[in-house]
Amino acid sequence: MTDTVASNDIASTIGRNVSLDRLSEHTHLAHLDNADQIRSAFPVMQQLRPHLNDADDLLERVQRMQQNASYRILAVLDSTNVIALAGYRLQENLIYGPFLYVDDLVTLDTERGQRCGARLLSALQDIARDAKCTRLVLDTGIGNSLAQRFYFRQGLLGHGMHFSMPLIEKSASTTE
């Protein structure tokens, strides 16, 4: 069950599964905290993370991230169905100080154009401000121009490049 609160009252919502904002008569924001709620996010998350095998794979990874990094999922629900989500965590480092990092931000292809992503980012900004964060940070692929345009429209600016390298080699059978 969720409590409905106004966006400007988000300070009281941290740590609880709540509905944060009304998008339309039948759509709201809520944190996904229990196993069934997290599993229900699989079709949306798989659109962004196609390497996920199934809802149980998602649940296992999310639970591990919740334990190790305080990861949370904020979702837009249409009645009871997840139509968009943002996975995030509160962090601190020497570059930014305290900040909110967005790991995942995705809207179902069939639900785009309803401003779900913008509403999620707005709610995440409120969460970050309440937690005394100085920045909201996310990464996107260099070739993901649609996402980059969206982020620019939302006021996010590029400030660097993200570099990575695989540390586990793929077996010969998976590369053929």
Side-chain angles (χ1 to χ4, degrees), residues 49-79:
R49 310 286 182 223
H51 62 276
L52 294 172
N53 297 319
D54 55 31
D56 288 328
D57 184 24
L58 172 65
L59 176 62
E60 180 181 318
R61 291 172 190 238
V62 167
Q63 287 177 330
R64 190 170 49 245
M65 291 168 53
Q66 286 173 329
Q67 276 189 317
N68 298 332
S70 301
Y71 178 85
R72 299 211 56 201
I73 297 175
L74 182 63
V76 177
L77 293 104
D78 182 0
S79 299

Side-chain angles (χ1 to χ4, degrees), residues 74-145:
L74 182 63
V76 177
L77 293 104
D78 182 0
S79 299
T80 59
N81 299 316
V82 176
I83 61 171
L85 63 82
Y88 71 95
R89 50 199 153 139
L90 300 173
Q91 298 184 314
E92 184 168 358
N93 66 19
L94 297 175
I95 297 170
Y96 303 125
F99 66 100
L100 185 145
Y101 184 78
V102 181
D103 288 89
D104 314 291
L105 181 62
V106 60
T107 299
L108 281 175
D109 287 336
T110 57
E111 303 296 332
R112 294 209 173 136
Q114 295 186 48
R115 301 197 37 84
C116 293
R119 301 296 247 164
L120 285 165
L121 280 175
S122 178
L124 291 175
Q125 289 172 42
D126 289 342
I127 291 168
R129 285 185 188 106
D130 182 66
K132 307 290 190 253
C133 293
T134 58
R135 289 189 177 269
L136 182 142
V137 178
L138 59 78
D139 293 323
T140 190
I142 290 174
N144 194 347
S145 59

Side-chain angles (χ1 to χ4, degrees), residues 12-29:
S12 66
T13 69
I14 304 299
R16 295 185 305 165
N17 180 28
V18 296
S19 173
L20 299 170
D21 193 16
R22 291 283 171 197
L23 298 175
S24 72
E25 187 177 320
H26 301 290
T27 311
H28 64 280
L29 286 173

